[in-house]
Amino acid sequence: MVTDWFTGDGDDFRLLGTRCSACASVFFPREDGHCRNPACRGGELAEVPLSRRGRIWSYTDSRYRPPSPYVSDPELPWEPYALIAVELESERIVVLGQAVPGITVANLTVGMEVEVVPGVLSEDAETTWTTWHWRPTGVTA
């Protein structure tokens, strides 16, 4: 799990960003050092839960083995997965993530509503590494 990037389970699952108190800019991944808005002199950065829903801004499929922190067994055939760039409902920022397993680029369209849900990055006998996935609304996959 990437520390402090998300929290909760099920319907309470949320990505966590930060908001600048001076200019109200929102950042994801979170920013804890300084405001990244070049027009802002800076303010306090506060953690904020981000919108659970947004609309697909763009998408593609991944047809290569990604680098760390992703883990894949080179002895097994590679399974492509869909990557989705989502414009969040309230913040109007774009967040990239994988589609839930079972959703391919054939199931996606620009403008489609999706929601963030917990996902599994990798697991072994001792540890499950969690992440977030995007799921089209109304789909239970």
Side-chain angles (χ1 to χ4, degrees), residues 41-123:
R41 294 185 181 262
E44 295 291 320
L45 296 169
E47 180 177 278
V48 292
L50 301 178
S51 299
R52 290 197 70 239
R53 293 181 178 211
R55 299 215 172 258
I56 295 177
W57 184 74
S58 185
Y59 61 92
T60 190
D61 59 348
S62 177
R63 298 203 167 263
Y64 63 91
R65 290 184 193 275
S68 179
Y70 290 92
V71 178
S72 66
D73 184 342
E75 301 299 318
L76 297 175
W78 175 247
E79 293 290 331
Y81 56 87
L83 290 170
I84 307 175
V86 175
E87 183 177 27
L88 297 181
E89 196 168 66
S90 296
E91 297 81 6
R92 306 296 305 251
I93 61 173
V94 176
V95 176
L96 184 67
Q98 286 181 249
V100 293
I103 297 295
T104 69
V105 295
N107 307 113
L108 304 173
T109 59
V110 169
M112 174 185 280
E113 186 179 55
V114 294
E115 60 189 343
V116 68
V117 296
V120 174
L121 180 64
S122 181
E123 56 189 333

